[in-house]
Amino acid sequence: MSELLNYVASCRLPTEWGVFTMHGFEEANGQEHVALTVGDCSDGSPVLTRIHSECLTGDALFSRKCDCGPQLEAAMRAVQAEGRGIIVYLRQEGRGIGLINKIRAYHLQDQGMDTVEANLALGLPVDARDFRLAQSIYEYLGIRSVKLLTNNPEKIQTLKDAGINVVERIPLHVGENLENKRYLQTKADKLGHLMSE
């Protein structure tokens, strides 16, 4: 399929927000990723999409330290409402540092550091994710242009660099609370996320 990913299998995935088709992909190192699709995404017209990096704490454990869980839910709702779209779910926990390192970083954040300072104090990259994986998934599914649900300009540039036509950025401002206010401000101030329009 590509040098980054191999397609494995697809299945029907009924959810609280509607039925998706779930497609499984695997990297050569064994890391697994999925894409959730609704409708025909390969007809050439721009596809509503979200590239979502795994966040066990936010997606599955309902942590209020981030906005990840609410963003995933909002994206699933939006794709179903559109009747056509794709959510690329990349298994890149903690911006690519992994779950245990994320817990270590959270410990430092509990002591007063922000998310960027914590990663750097642990000798870790601020963001180690590889959004080219999403391009490989789009390529397999025949997607050439997208309407991207994101607040992160880096995702847009990465897709453009990979030959994906990003025709529109759709803001995804959900999940703000007292626990994650500093985290969201750090994303805006230090990571360039567009947290207000």
Side-chain angles (χ1 to χ4, degrees):
M1 167 186 144
S2 84
E3 60 202 42
L4 296 176
L5 289 175
N6 289 310
Y7 167 76
V8 180
S10 298
C11 69
R12 180 176 174 271
L13 183 72
T15 74
E16 183 177 338
W17 303 283
V19 177
F20 294 85
T21 300
M22 182 164 63
H23 311 270
F25 301 87
E26 191 173 51
E27 292 182 67
N29 64 9
Q31 182 65 282
E32 300 162 337
H33 307 279
V34 299
L36 306 178
T37 59
V38 174
D40 180 9
C41 297
S42 62
D43 65 2
S45 59
V47 178
L48 181 63
T49 188
R50 163 88 180 148
I51 301 172
H52 190 88
S53 296
E54 178 181 49
C55 177
L56 178 74
T57 50
D59 300 341
L61 302 177
F62 315 108
S63 168
R64 294 173 61 81
K65 284 191 173 205
C66 63
D67 55 346
C68 303
Q71 284 187 326
L72 178 59
E73 180 179 329
M76 292 176 79
R77 288 181 190 274
V79 166
Q80 286 290 344
E82 182 100 349
R84 177 176 175 272
I86 175 174
I87 296 168
V88 175
Y89 193 90
L90 300 178
R91 307 286 306 283
Q92 301 186 128
E93 181 75 45
R95 287 198 211 98
I97 65 172
L99 181 59
I100 297 303
N101 279 331
K102 181 179 178 180
I103 294 170
R104 290 183 178 114
Y106 271 177
H107 174 72
L108 294 178
Q109 289 172 49
D110 289 342
Q111 297 175 359
M113 291 186 184
D114 67 32
T115 184
V116 170
E117 293 165 346
N119 279 26
L120 294 175
L122 291 168
L124 300 168
V126 172
D127 194 336
R129 292 176 293 181
D130 185 353
F131 296 125
R132 295 174 307 151
L133 296 165
Q135 191 274 338
S136 293
I137 291 172
Y138 291 143
E139 182 182 311
Y140 177 80
L141 295 171
I143 295 168
R144 300 265 181 249
S145 61
V146 298
K147 298 180 290 183
L148 191 62
L149 285 157
T150 189
N151 304 323
N152 183 355
E154 183 186 334
K155 287 184 186 177
I156 298 170
Q157 192 57 52
T158 300
L159 292 185
K160 287 182 175 179
D161 291 346
I164 296 290
N165 182 20
V166 181
V167 300
E168 183 181 0
R169 182 187 74 85
I170 300 170
L172 195 57
H173 300 304
V174 293
E176 182 176 346
N177 63 72
L178 289 175
E179 291 283 349
N180 68 17
K181 194 165 186 172
R182 184 179 182 208
Y183 166 78
L184 297 180
Q185 192 62 50
T186 299
K187 286 210 294 188
D189 294 345
K190 294 187 175 181
L191 301 175
H193 287 217
L194 306 169
M195 303 308 290
S196 62
E197 303 311 311

